[in-house]
Amino acid sequence: MAEEVILLDFWPSPFGMRVRIALAEKGIAYDYKEEDLKNKSPLLLEMNPVHKKIPVLIHNGKPVCESLIAVQYIDEVWHDKSPLMPSDPYERAQARFWADYVDKKIYDLGRKIWSTKGEEQEAAKKEFVESLKLLEGELGDKPFFGGQAFGFVDVALVPFYSWFYAYETCGGFSIEAECPKIVAWAKRCLLRQSVSRSLPDPKKIHGFVLELKKRFGVE
Amino acid sequence: MSKGDVVLLDCWVSPFCMRVKIALNEKGVEYKHREEDLFGGKSELLLNSNPIHKKVPVLLHDGKPLSESTIIVGYIDETWASPPLLPSCAYGRAKARFWADFIDKKIWRTNGEEREVGTRDFIETLKQLEEALGERNYFGGEGDAFGFVDIIAVGMASWFHAYEKFGGFKVEDHCPKLSAWLKRCKQRESVRKVLPDPEKVYEFLLMFRKMQGLD
């Protein structure tokens, strides 16, 4: 049975990276389609009419939207290889909780770091570091958030590592100095091919952010 | 059908807490509930069980805490198998999770301050939800059965009356199918036992808005 898998994505998107990682972990062949977000394709608008956003996973013509939902879907369909979710219901709820925490905090705070100045930026930096420290606490001495094995929360968080350099440069601070365990964990994740092939070069992300700043008139 | 000790840290007016209670009722799970006083100060148990967000609902199953209502409902569904709240196929589950996420992002993040814009956006969002319902009786579940998305969505029913009064509109005028769906849900005992009196919700929200200096 031929499986047709397409991913509508945008190279700097940490949400897109999550789906790329999950697909790679499972060894799934797929068609990657880069979207121009200033000029969204008819396919994207048809497959995600509600939010009109990437990433969209299209499996045999049927769309799955929202990155964490797509990752869970991939884990459930291709369940015989590299499980990403724990098998115990309580552990699964905890994994979903932490992935949800990453969604609530990291993207928006990171965005504020590169797009604001002065007090607003300082406040964002402070809260960003606090959030990472909380995640560090959750990681503890485990190699991955999933425990011994790379898992759902790792997939949810590690894409943001490619944005760290941009945050640090725009914000004038060192994430490694504040949260060394998180950086060590990210580097450990990057040893996995699924991750290293899915994350762009942080310098390229920084270049992209500089373009965004110009476009939005942020100094 | 109780597997262990189940306690819910609750608040009568919270639509998020309503989700958890309805799910537990659907599964026939006995639980104790502890009403949190939002204005009197949060209990030690709440602050210890949900130190990160410090919010209700919190479900304690044999002392182990779970927070975030949608996640809790998923846990309830996985722990007490019958009747299933999510579809059995992966794609059906992905769609159910999508609409639950939509409700959380669009309905509950709607800013109540600017009445005019708020109402327009709100009605638009309800229309999108109505479209997703289509001709079905419920969002489902397996087939056309009452399920996950219905549970996530129905809590807002008790807040509609208040929104209608604040916004000067009637949900039924704009979204008759959604209105019909709500009436259908309210006929289920699991829902009826949980939804508070809409008038009491309105009075609560009035008071809450005054406290926030919104009126």
Side-chain angles (χ1 to χ4, degrees):
Chain A
M1 182 178 56
E3 300 269 24
E4 191 204 42
V5 182
I6 299 172
L7 177 63
L8 306 183
D9 200 351
F10 179 52
W11 69 271
S13 162
F15 306 103
M17 287 175 220
R18 289 169 169 174
V19 186
R20 286 174 234 165
I21 295 170
L23 288 167
E25 281 286 316
K26 305 287 185 171
I28 299 162
Y30 66 98
D31 199 358
Y32 178 95
K33 284 186 152 69
E34 185 73 23
E35 283 285 331
D36 174 2
L37 297 187
K38 294 190 252 51
N39 185 19
K40 294 175 180 179
S41 73
L43 183 61
L44 173 56
L45 298 176
E46 183 197 335
M47 292 286 134
N48 192 359
V50 174
H51 299 303
K52 305 177 176 54
K53 287 182 173 180
I54 57 90
V56 179
L57 181 77
I58 310 173
H59 183 205
N60 294 332
K62 298 196 290 193
V64 181
C65 311
E66 295 303 306
S67 61
L68 293 180
I69 294 175
V71 171
Q72 287 181 78
Y73 174 81
I74 289 165
D75 198 42
E76 288 174 20
V77 173
W78 290 276
H79 52 80
D80 41 2
K81 188 178 176 197
S82 303
L84 296 171
M85 288 289 274
S87 46
D88 170 68
Y90 186 75
E91 299 299 313
R92 291 154 74 84
Q94 292 303 97
R96 288 177 178 135
F97 175 86
W98 286 106
D100 176 68
Y101 180 81
V102 172
D103 263 1
K104 282 183 159 94
K105 295 283 187 178
I106 305 297
Y107 180 74
D108 285 332
L109 290 171
R111 190 195 171 98
K112 282 196 180 138
I113 293 175
W114 66 257
S115 66
T116 66
K117 301 178 291 183
E119 269 183 48
E120 210 185 333
Q121 191 189 48
E122 285 309 307
K125 277 160 64 179
K126 186 165 174 280
E127 213 189 322
F128 181 81
V129 168
E130 275 166 14
S131 301
L132 282 186
K133 285 197 162 131
L134 204 67
L135 285 160
E136 262 189 343
E138 175 56 24
L139 179 65
D141 291 319
K142 308 194 296 281
F144 300 108
F145 284 92
Q148 290 306 312
F150 182 79
F152 188 64
V153 181
D154 305 283
V155 175
L157 181 61
V158 79
F160 292 97
Y161 179 72
S162 62
W163 282 67
F164 278 9
Y165 176 72
Y167 297 152
E168 288 172 320
T169 313
C170 296
F173 70 125
S174 160
I175 297 175
E176 187 159 13
E178 304 276 0
C179 306
K181 276 188 174 171
I182 284 286
V183 173
W185 156 83
K187 289 182 176 161
R188 196 176 303 128
C189 291
L190 274 164
L191 295 174
R192 298 175 84 77
Q193 237 178 48
S194 64
V195 179
S196 61
R197 289 188 179 174
S198 302
L199 266 53
D201 180 346
K203 298 260 164 73
K204 287 209 170 105
I205 297 280
H206 181 232
F208 171 71
V209 169
L210 290 178
E211 267 179 45
L212 282 179
K213 281 168 74 116
K214 242 185 250 158
R215 209 191 317 155
F216 291 112
V218 183
E219 267 318 299
Chain B
M1 234 187 295
S2 254
K3 262 189 246 174
D5 182 60
V6 182
V7 177
L8 175 66
L9 305 186
D10 189 16
C11 174
W12 69 273
V13 72
S14 158
F16 306 102
C17 293
M18 289 174 215
R19 293 169 175 178
V20 180
K21 287 181 274 193
I22 294 169
L24 289 167
N25 288 344
E26 283 286 317
K27 301 283 189 174
V29 175
E30 281 178 27
Y31 63 98
K32 288 169 234 158
H33 90 107
R34 282 180 149 88
E35 188 73 20
E36 285 285 325
D37 177 1
L38 291 187
F39 304 115
K42 296 174 179 179
S43 72
E44 281 280 330
L45 183 58
L46 174 58
L47 297 175
N48 288 336
S49 311
N50 190 1
I52 290 160
H53 300 304
K54 305 179 177 53
K55 286 181 178 177
V56 288
V58 175
L59 190 76
L60 292 148
H61 187 199
D62 289 333
K64 295 196 294 191
L66 294 121
S67 36
E68 295 303 303
S69 61
T70 305
I71 294 174
I72 297 173
V73 172
Y75 172 81
I76 290 169
D77 195 37
E78 289 176 18
T79 305
W80 291 276
S82 180
L85 301 175
L86 277 168
S88 49
C89 80
Y91 189 70
R93 281 202 290 278
K95 270 180 59 183
R97 288 176 179 139
F98 175 85
W99 286 108
D101 176 73
F102 174 84
I103 289 162
D104 273 347
K105 280 196 169 98
K106 295 285 193 164
I107 294 194
W108 295 109
R109 305 288 157 91
T110 301
N111 189 328
E113 287 177 45
E114 263 215 71
R115 242 175 244 190
E116 201 50 53
V117 176
T119 302
R120 250 205 314 274
D121 279 347
F122 184 70
I123 292 174
E124 214 29 70
T125 302
L126 289 186
K127 285 196 167 137
Q128 280 179 301
L129 208 53
E130 195 180 51
E131 214 183 299
L133 178 65
E135 298 305 316
R136 295 176 296 165
N137 284 327
Y138 297 109
F139 287 93
E142 201 62 62
D144 199 7
F146 181 85
F148 188 74
V149 180
D150 303 281
I151 291 175
I152 299 301
V154 81
M156 63 176 150
S158 53
W159 284 44
F160 273 2
H161 175 64
Y163 284 158
E164 285 172 341
K165 276 194 162 165
F166 292 139
F169 69 100
K170 282 215 143 271
V171 171
E172 198 163 19
D173 292 341
H174 299 271
C175 305
K177 283 189 187 157
L178 205 63
S179 251
W181 162 80
L182 276 175
K183 288 199 176 100
R184 215 172 285 129
C185 289
K186 283 195 232 184
Q187 284 166 6
R188 292 180 84 79
E189 210 192 312
S190 64
V191 176
R192 219 181 27 238
K193 284 203 291 192
V194 167
L195 292 194
D197 178 349
E199 199 56 40
K200 288 212 171 95
V201 175
Y202 173 62
E203 283 163 23
F204 170 85
L205 287 175
L206 255 184
M207 178 183 65
F208 190 66
R209 284 163 66 98
K210 277 207 184 91
M211 279 171 64
Q212 307 238 290
L214 286 174
D215 270 331

